Amino acid sequence: MHIAVNDREIHYDTFGDGPPVLFVHGFPLSGSMWSETARGLSDRWRCIVPDLRGHGCSAATATVSIADFADDLAGLLDALGEGRPAVLAGLSMGGIIAFEFFRRHRTRLRALVLSNTRANPETPEGAARREAIAQAVLRDGSRAGVDAMIGQVFGPGFPSARREEWARRMAENPPIGVAAAARALAGRADSFPTLPRIDCPTLVVAGDQDAITPPDLMRDMHQRIRGSEFAVVPDSGHVPPVEQPERFAAAIRRFLERLESGARATGQTEKSS
Ligand code: MLT
């Protein structure tokens, strides 16, 4: 479905009914990475799954910032008439957007799921690499950007045919959207000062084989967020909802159920099996 948000068309899907959970995808993916998670949780929750600006079937703009992405999400909740505070589940770039959402729209948040993401600002070398990717994508098409990163995205056990299928899906994103998002990631804020300020229930999720945001990085993030919970998804690289959808959904379900019952364990670490 499409809906107008901040004067442009955002594509989204919703699954189920109940307390709202907003799923925010990584770079350069689209809402489709959450399909199995959202379907799996739709028995009890209203799962809202947008394509971010310039990704999937949502309209692109030549430039975008992480703050724009966060404001689009708040605008989407408004456009959907969803006034209840939502759980925001963000993976990688989606988590970076979640930090910005926390800073800009705290009252819209009920809880956070921070999956395979990072709090640091981009390094000068990283910013140069992202600018090179943006230029390559605008010159040669989105596949150039995908090829620059696909080798690191999935764990070693992820079948090569599925890796290629996801590379093709990523390359379907329009070059203008991929380039704009690469530049937005290069210009992202330092979210380390935000971590100790996070005052909503939070689950931090890692993939045990993630080469982009390794488990130790995620454990460090968990330790900086007071009362947060931590889950490690076995046999998964950077995208557990795609690589291990059942294990990932089970970890989120346990967190959401504790949230509903008010019995949230603090500081808990679990291995999601
Ligand atoms: C993502 O999955 O969003 C990307 O890996 C983010 C990044 O390149 O740092």
Side-chain angles (χ1 to χ4, degrees), residues 26-27 29 91-93 118 130 149 185 212 238:
F27 168 87
L29 286 141
L91 183 136
S92 199
M93 181 174 74
R118 47 179 146 221
R130 292 194 193 275
M149 66 181 291
L185 282 166
I212 297 179
H238 190 55

Side-chain angles (χ1 to χ4, degrees), residues 45-120:
W45 291 275
R46 182 189 193 194
C47 301
I48 304 169
V49 188
D51 291 337
L52 292 168
R53 194 193 294 203
H55 297 73
C57 298
S58 290
T61 48
T63 60
V64 71
S65 66
I66 299 297
D68 291 333
F69 285 137
D71 290 351
D72 284 352
L73 295 175
L76 175 64
L77 292 175
D78 288 341
L80 294 176
E82 185 50 85
R84 297 170 292 179
V87 178
L88 195 164
L91 183 136
S92 199
M93 181 174 74
I96 291 168
I97 296 167
F99 294 134
E100 196 66 46
F101 193 91
F102 174 86
R103 291 190 285 268
R104 300 169 77 84
H105 304 289
R106 170 67 187 91
T107 58
R108 313 296 302 263
L109 263 186
R110 180 166 186 219
L112 283 169
V113 178
L114 300 170
S115 183
N116 306 72
T117 189
R118 47 179 146 221
N120 62 291

